[in-house]
Coordinates of all heavy atoms in Angstrom, one line a residue:
V1 N 26.1 22.9 -61.2 CA 26.2 21.7 -61.9 C 26.5 20.6 -60.9 O 26.0 19.5 -60.9 CB 27.3 21.8 -62.9 CG1 27.6 20.4 -63.5 CG2 26.7 22.6 -64.1
L2 N 27.6 20.9 -60.0 CA 28.1 19.8 -59.0 C 26.9 19.5 -58.0 O 26.7 18.4 -57.6 CB 29.3 20.2 -58.4 CG 30.5 20.3 -59.3 CD1 31.7 20.7 -58.6 CD2 30.8 18.9 -60.0
D3 N 26.1 20.6 -57.7 CA 25.0 20.4 -56.8 C 24.0 19.5 -57.3 O 23.4 18.7 -56.7 CB 24.4 21.7 -56.4 CG 25.2 22.5 -55.5 OD1 26.0 21.9 -54.7 OD2 25.0 23.8 -55.3
A4 N 23.8 19.5 -58.6 CA 22.9 18.6 -59.4 C 23.5 17.2 -59.5 O 22.7 16.2 -59.4 CB 22.5 19.2 -60.7
Y5 N 24.7 17.1 -59.8 CA 25.3 15.9 -60.1 C 25.7 15.0 -59.0 O 25.3 13.8 -58.8 CB 26.5 16.0 -61.0 CG 27.3 14.8 -61.3 CD1 26.8 13.8 -62.2 CD2 28.5 14.5 -60.7 CE1 27.5 12.6 -62.4 CE2 29.2 13.3 -60.9 CZ 28.7 12.4 -61.8 OH 29.4 11.2 -62.1
E6 N 26.3 15.6 -58.0 CA 27.0 14.8 -56.9 C 26.0 14.0 -56.1 O 26.2 12.8 -55.8 CB 27.8 15.7 -56.0 CG 29.1 16.1 -56.8 CD 30.0 17.0 -55.8 OE1 29.5 17.4 -54.8 OE2 31.2 17.1 -56.1
P7 N 24.8 14.6 -55.6 CA 23.9 13.8 -54.8 C 23.3 12.6 -55.6 O 23.2 11.5 -55.0 CB 22.7 14.8 -54.4 CG 23.5 16.2 -54.6 CD 24.5 16.0 -55.7
A8 N 23.0 12.9 -56.9 CA 22.5 11.8 -57.7 C 23.5 10.7 -57.9 O 23.2 9.5 -57.9 CB 22.0 12.4 -59.1
A9 N 24.7 11.1 -58.2 CA 25.8 10.1 -58.4 C 26.0 9.2 -57.2 O 26.3 8.0 -57.3 CB 27.0 10.8 -58.9
N10 N 26.1 9.9 -56.0 CA 26.3 9.2 -54.7 C 25.2 8.2 -54.4 O 25.4 7.1 -54.0 CB 26.4 10.2 -53.6 CG 27.8 11.0 -53.6 OD1 28.6 10.5 -54.2 ND2 27.7 12.2 -53.0
R11 N 23.9 8.6 -54.8 CA 22.8 7.8 -54.5 C 22.8 6.6 -55.4 O 22.4 5.4 -55.0 CB 21.4 8.5 -54.9 CG 20.2 7.7 -54.5 CD 18.9 8.5 -54.5 NE 18.7 9.1 -55.9 CZ 18.8 10.4 -56.3 NH1 19.2 11.2 -55.4 NH2 18.6 10.7 -57.4
I12 N 23.2 6.7 -56.7 CA 23.4 5.6 -57.6 C 24.5 4.7 -57.1 O 24.3 3.4 -57.1 CB 23.8 6.1 -59.0 CG1 22.7 6.9 -59.6 CG2 24.3 4.9 -59.9 CD1 23.1 7.5 -61.0
A13 N 25.6 5.2 -56.6 CA 26.7 4.3 -56.1 C 26.3 3.5 -54.9 O 26.6 2.3 -54.8 CB 27.9 5.2 -55.7
N14 N 25.5 4.2 -54.0 CA 25.1 3.4 -52.8 C 24.1 2.4 -53.1 O 24.1 1.2 -52.6 CB 24.4 4.4 -51.8 CG 25.5 5.4 -51.1 OD1 26.7 4.9 -51.0 ND2 25.0 6.5 -50.8
T15 N 23.1 2.7 -54.1 CA 22.1 1.8 -54.4 C 22.7 0.5 -55.2 O 22.3 -0.6 -54.8 CB 21.1 2.4 -55.4 OG1 20.5 3.6 -54.8 CG2 20.0 1.4 -55.8
V16 N 23.6 0.7 -56.1 CA 24.3 -0.4 -56.7 C 25.1 -1.3 -55.8 O 25.0 -2.5 -55.8 CB 25.3 0.1 -57.9 CG1 26.0 -1.0 -58.5 CG2 24.5 0.7 -59.0
A17 N 25.8 -0.7 -54.9 CA 26.6 -1.4 -53.9 C 25.7 -2.2 -53.0 O 25.9 -3.4 -52.9 CB 27.4 -0.4 -53.0
V18 N 24.6 -1.6 -52.4 CA 23.7 -2.4 -51.6 C 23.0 -3.5 -52.3 O 22.8 -4.7 -51.9 CB 22.6 -1.4 -51.0 CG1 21.5 -2.2 -50.3 CG2 23.3 -0.4 -50.1
S19 N 22.5 -3.3 -53.6 CA 21.9 -4.4 -54.4 C 22.8 -5.5 -54.7 O 22.5 -6.6 -54.6 CB 21.4 -3.7 -55.7 OG 20.4 -2.7 -55.5
F20 N 24.1 -5.2 -55.0 CA 25.0 -6.2 -55.2 C 25.3 -7.0 -54.0 O 25.3 -8.3 -54.2 CB 26.4 -5.6 -55.8 CG 27.4 -6.6 -56.3 CD1 27.3 -7.0 -57.5 CD2 28.3 -7.2 -55.4 CE1 28.3 -8.0 -58.0 CE2 29.2 -8.1 -55.8 CZ 29.2 -8.5 -57.2
V21 N 25.5 -6.5 -52.9 CA 25.8 -7.2 -51.6 C 24.6 -8.0 -51.3 O 24.7 -9.2 -50.9 CB 26.0 -6.2 -50.4 CG1 26.0 -6.9 -49.1 CG2 27.4 -5.5 -50.8
D22 N 23.3 -7.5 -51.5 CA 22.1 -8.3 -51.2 C 22.0 -9.5 -52.1 O 21.7 -10.6 -51.7 CB 20.8 -7.4 -51.3 CG 20.6 -6.5 -50.3 OD1 21.3 -6.6 -49.2 OD2 19.9 -5.5 -50.4
E23 N 22.3 -9.4 -53.4 CA 22.3 -10.4 -54.3 C 23.4 -11.4 -54.1 O 23.1 -12.7 -54.1 CB 22.5 -9.9 -55.8 CG 22.5 -11.0 -56.9 CD 21.2 -11.8 -57.0 OE1 20.2 -11.3 -56.5 OE2 21.2 -12.9 -57.6
R24 N 24.5 -11.0 -53.6 CA 25.6 -11.9 -53.3 C 25.3 -12.8 -52.2 O 25.6 -14.0 -52.1 CB 26.9 -11.1 -53.1 CG 28.1 -12.0 -53.0 CD 29.5 -11.2 -53.1 NE 30.5 -12.0 -53.1 CZ 31.1 -12.7 -54.2 NH1 30.5 -12.4 -55.4 NH2 32.1 -13.4 -54.2
E25 N 24.7 -12.1 -51.1 CA 24.3 -12.8 -49.9 C 23.2 -13.8 -50.3 O 23.2 -15.0 -49.7 CB 23.8 -11.8 -48.9 CG 24.9 -11.0 -48.2 CD 24.4 -10.1 -47.2 OE1 23.2 -9.9 -47.1 OE2 25.2 -9.5 -46.4
R26 N 22.4 -13.5 -51.2 CA 21.3 -14.4 -51.6 C 21.9 -15.7 -52.3 O 21.5 -16.8 -52.0 CB 20.3 -13.8 -52.5 CG 19.1 -14.6 -52.9 CD 18.3 -14.0 -54.0 NE 18.9 -14.0 -55.3 CZ 19.1 -14.9 -56.1 NH1 18.5 -16.1 -55.8 NH2 19.7 -14.8 -57.3
V27 N 22.9 -15.5 -53.1 CA 23.6 -16.5 -53.8 C 24.3 -17.4 -52.9 O 24.2 -18.7 -53.0 CB 24.6 -15.9 -54.9 CG1 25.4 -17.1 -55.4 CG2 23.8 -15.3 -56.0
I28 N 25.0 -16.8 -51.8 CA 25.6 -17.5 -50.8 C 24.6 -18.4 -50.0 O 25.0 -19.6 -49.8 CB 26.5 -16.6 -49.9 CG1 27.6 -16.0 -50.6 CG2 27.0 -17.4 -48.6 CD1 28.3 -14.9 -49.9
R29 N 23.5 -17.9 -49.6 CA 22.5 -18.6 -48.9 C 22.0 -19.8 -49.7 O 21.9 -20.9 -49.2 CB 21.4 -17.8 -48.5 CG 21.7 -16.8 -47.4 CD 20.4 -16.2 -46.8 NE 19.6 -15.5 -47.8 CZ 19.8 -14.1 -48.1 NH1 20.8 -13.5 -47.3 NH2 19.1 -13.6 -48.9

């Protein structure tokens, strides 16, 4: 179960963080 959940959860966390930072930088620009 953890083998199924953890990689997907980590990918979600990384994607959201990167997208938020990109959008914030766009707003700042």
Side-chain angles (χ1 to χ4, degrees):
V1 167
L2 295 179
D3 284 342
Y5 174 73
E6 288 182 346
N10 290 337
R11 185 170 63 251
I12 291 173
N14 290 335
T15 301
V16 170
V18 169
S19 297
F20 187 89
V21 170
D22 288 346
E23 176 62 20
R24 191 170 186 83
E25 289 179 348
R26 185 187 69 81
V27 170
I28 291 173
R29 286 195 299 271

